[in-house]
Amino acid sequence: MRLKKRHPLRWKWVLIVGVIAACWAVVPSMGPTPWAESEETYQGLKLFSDVIELIEKNYVDPVDSKDLIEKAIHGMVNSLDPHSSFLPPEAFKELQVDTRGEFGGIGIVISLENGMLTVISPIEGTPAHKAGIKAGDQIIKINDESTKGMALWEAVKRMRGPKKTTVRITILREGEGEPKEYTLTRDIIPIESVKHKVLTPGYGYVRITNFNEHTTRDLTAALQELESGTDGFKGLVVDLRDNPGGLLNQAIDVADVFLEEGVVVSIKGRDKKHNRTYNAHPDKVKRAYPIVVLINEGSASASEIVAGALQDHKKAVIMGTTSFGKGSVQTVEALRDGYGLKYTIARYYTPSGKSIQAEGIVPDIEVKPMILAEKEKSKTASGLFREKDLKNHLEAVPGKEEDDLYSPEDTGPESKRPDSSSRFGPLDIEMLKKDYQVRRALETLISFEIFKNIRG
């Protein structure tokens, strides 16, 4: 019998199996269930090492073991949910750049939909927004390289770069026959997240485009300016449409600006150490005026925390269309050799205990955008994808089937996306007045003021 030469990789798995066996030896009282689970893990590791060895020895072309293992880990983690990922050193560094709040790029929020790189929303004032990139666009090429099967971090890395350098992206837009190529000049992505205007005397408008480290400070300054008007302040529109989220602490603090007490958001995971409840605190400024919060399918994560808190505490009327439904919490762990792991550890819950995950925030008053552009076919009501449309998304409640959570999609006439300039362009009072959802929000506030003064 010919003896097979032991491969070094085999010894790594033998060592792992030895560790598992040692654990069994020191904890015999754990019972049959841990034993069965460890045995299953052991068999899986054996199978994995067998496959690696066979490919290394027999595949038609030479292969890199490290590359194979990395791809295997990628596949394992990516199968969990759309927001978990294994981060090679370059990707881990890119993530750390994100936390500093400034980088060179083109300015889009992206996700993977059926393996295709899809634009969730362009960021206001960035090269992508100025070029006309729209929510729902599919990026099929970056610098002539196909994005099919490309990891999210790889796409981000290719689109980022120093200011004034260029990148070419090819867009496929539903309703248009041919792909279109854009050559974009990278810029420093702006971190300004709060803008405001007076809609009409006594009524203010605040747009929050993302949640960064300055959002609460900038919101407080904007409110002070609006509230100090000579006409008296009667109501506020807070626009969270197409806000992809950001820092959790800023979402909590923004909600706290309007709340005096009670739960803002709670976080619950399988491990109790991840469970947290965040509460509001009394404010020096009591904001008793009526508020309308605008949301849509592009409102995600931190935006949904704010909208859910204000809705549950009856502090604001939520208007628009159901939000994205990104109600999961991720953490990032540093691994050896510069690698990182981003994975989901918990779900967000509104003050009433409702899960945001895959359900989103349902508005108190549904107001779809008016037709301001050509008819555009879309997968969701306003042309944006929701969390529940993403492959491997988490359910709102662990183990609960999707059919128990959602009603069938509306089969009526499709809505159209409004002119994106009313959301992403510099604040222009005339454009705001043409925005149907903003007009409806303002009418609601004015109606409240009228009814308040009517004697029954």
Side-chain angles (χ1 to χ4, degrees):
M1 178 185 292
R2 183 171 60 89
L3 295 177
K4 293 184 178 180
K5 183 181 178 181
R6 291 284 186 183
H7 191 277
L9 183 63
R10 172 76 74 174
W11 288 107
K12 294 180 183 178
W13 295 117
V14 171
L15 178 61
I16 293 172
V17 172
V19 172
I20 294 173
C23 291
W24 289 344
V26 297
V27 286
S29 61
M30 292 295 288
T33 300
W35 180 284
E37 290 177 354
S38 297
E39 174 66 20
E40 187 176 343
T41 301
Y42 167 75
Q43 293 298 333
L45 291 175
K46 280 186 63 179
L47 176 62
F48 181 74
S49 64
D50 288 343
V51 172
I52 291 287
E53 185 172 16
L54 285 170
I55 291 174
E56 281 186 317
K57 289 184 175 180
N58 303 309
Y59 189 69
V60 63
D61 294 319
V63 294
D64 184 328
S65 299
K66 183 179 179 182
D67 185 53
L68 283 178
I69 293 172
E70 277 193 17
K71 288 178 179 177
I73 299 173
H74 270 299
M76 174 180 68
V77 178
N78 289 347
S79 70
L80 297 174
D81 67 76
H83 309 293
S84 295
S85 57
F86 174 64
L87 305 170
E90 290 180 338
F92 192 37
K93 287 180 182 178
E94 288 291 332
L95 186 64
Q96 292 170 318
V97 168
D98 285 347
T99 63
R100 294 198 291 268
E102 184 177 281
F103 55 87
I106 62 174
I108 52 175
V109 179
I110 57 175
S111 184
L112 285 174
E113 167 61 22
N114 296 326
M116 295 302 298
L117 205 63
T118 304
V119 177
I120 296 297
S121 63
I123 300 173
E124 179 181 345
T126 63
H129 162 250
K130 293 175 182 177
I133 306 298
K134 297 182 179 181
D137 285 350
Q138 291 185 335
I139 302 175
I140 59 174
K141 289 183 181 179
I142 302 174
N143 289 332
D144 295 327
E145 183 178 356
S146 172
T147 60
K148 186 68 174 178
M150 185 180 289
L152 206 57
W153 72 267
E154 291 179 292
V156 169
K157 180 186 174 186
R158 283 165 171 73
M159 288 187 285
R160 284 185 179 173
K163 181 178 180 180
K164 294 185 179 180
T165 59
T166 61
V167 60
R168 285 179 290 107
I169 62 173
T170 305
I171 292 293
L172 184 62
R173 182 171 298 160
E174 196 165 359
E176 296 185 6
E178 297 295 325
K180 184 176 181 180
E181 185 178 285
Y182 293 83
T183 299
L184 304 175
T185 301
R186 297 182 180 97
D187 200 353
I188 299 301
I189 303 305
I191 61 173
E192 183 181 15
S193 66
V194 178
K195 296 184 179 182
H196 65 283
K197 284 283 186 181
V198 174
L199 290 174
T200 193
Y203 297 93
Y205 170 91
V206 171
R207 177 195 290 161
I208 304 177
T209 58
N210 58 77
F211 289 85
N212 63 40
E213 59 186 1
H214 304 302
T215 299
T216 305
R217 180 199 68 186
D218 294 345
L219 173 64
T220 302
L223 292 177
Q224 288 175 346
E225 183 176 332
L226 290 170
E227 293 163 353
S228 63
T230 57
D231 300 294
F233 200 66
K234 301 175 184 177
L236 176 69
V237 177
V238 178
D239 194 345
L240 297 177
R241 292 175 299 173
D242 296 313
N243 182 323
L247 298 176
L248 170 63
N249 68 319
Q250 290 296 306
I252 294 167
D253 290 346
V254 164
D256 198 2
V257 167
F258 301 105
L259 299 174
E260 294 295 315
E261 60 181 3
V263 174
V264 174
V265 67
S266 59
I267 297 173
K268 299 177 184 178
R270 184 161 61 97
D271 191 330
K272 291 184 178 180
K273 72 180 181 182
H274 296 139
N275 296 352
R276 292 285 302 273
T277 298
Y278 299 90
N279 295 292
H281 307 87
D283 296 297
K284 293 181 180 179
V285 179
K286 309 297 181 183
R287 295 183 166 89
Y289 46 76
I291 301 168
V292 174
V293 175
L294 292 175
I295 61 171
N296 67 357
E297 292 87 343
S299 306
S301 193
S303 301
E304 296 173 291
I305 290 173
V306 173
L310 298 186
Q311 184 181 52
D312 283 2
H313 284 289
K314 311 298 181 186
K315 182 62 181 178
V317 172
I318 310 301
M319 182 179 291
T321 53
T322 302
S323 63
F324 185 77
K326 199 277 186 182
S328 59
V329 186
Q330 283 72 44
T331 189
V332 179
E333 300 280 356
L335 306 175
R336 66 181 65 196
D337 300 327
Y339 288 84
L341 178 66
K342 183 177 78 167
Y343 62 106
T344 301
I345 59 170
R347 290 174 172 85
Y348 290 122
Y349 293 84
T350 68
S352 66
K354 177 187 173 185
S355 173
I356 295 171
Q357 176 60 27
E359 289 193 327
I361 302 299
V362 179
D364 300 307
I365 303 174
E366 184 182 41
V367 178
K368 295 181 180 181
M370 288 287 284
I371 302 172
L372 297 178
E374 289 184 11
K375 182 176 180 180
E376 291 178 305
K377 294 181 180 179
S378 64
K379 186 170 183 177
T380 58
S382 63
L384 301 174
F385 294 102
R386 294 187 183 132
E387 173 81 7
K388 67 177 183 177
D389 297 314
L390 299 178
K391 186 179 180 181
N392 298 326
H393 69 268
L394 296 176
E395 301 299 346
V397 180
K400 194 163 187 179
E401 294 298 324
E402 186 169 348
D403 289 340
D404 294 333
L405 299 173
Y406 306 115
S407 58
E409 290 292 326
D410 182 11
T411 56
E414 292 179 330
S415 301
K416 321 276 185 9
R417 270 198 308 269
D419 181 1
S420 62
S421 63
S422 65
R423 297 180 188 174
F424 300 111
L427 286 187
D428 181 286
I429 191 62
E430 295 305 318
M431 290 301 298
L432 287 175
K433 289 180 178 179
K434 292 178 182 178
D435 187 316
Y436 178 66
Q437 290 170 311
V438 173
R439 293 206 320 264
R440 284 291 304 274
L442 179 58
E443 289 168 1
T444 300
L445 293 173
I446 293 173
S447 298
F448 177 85
E449 182 68 18
I450 293 172
F451 276 105
K452 186 178 70 172
N453 295 319
I454 292 177
R455 295 181 179 178

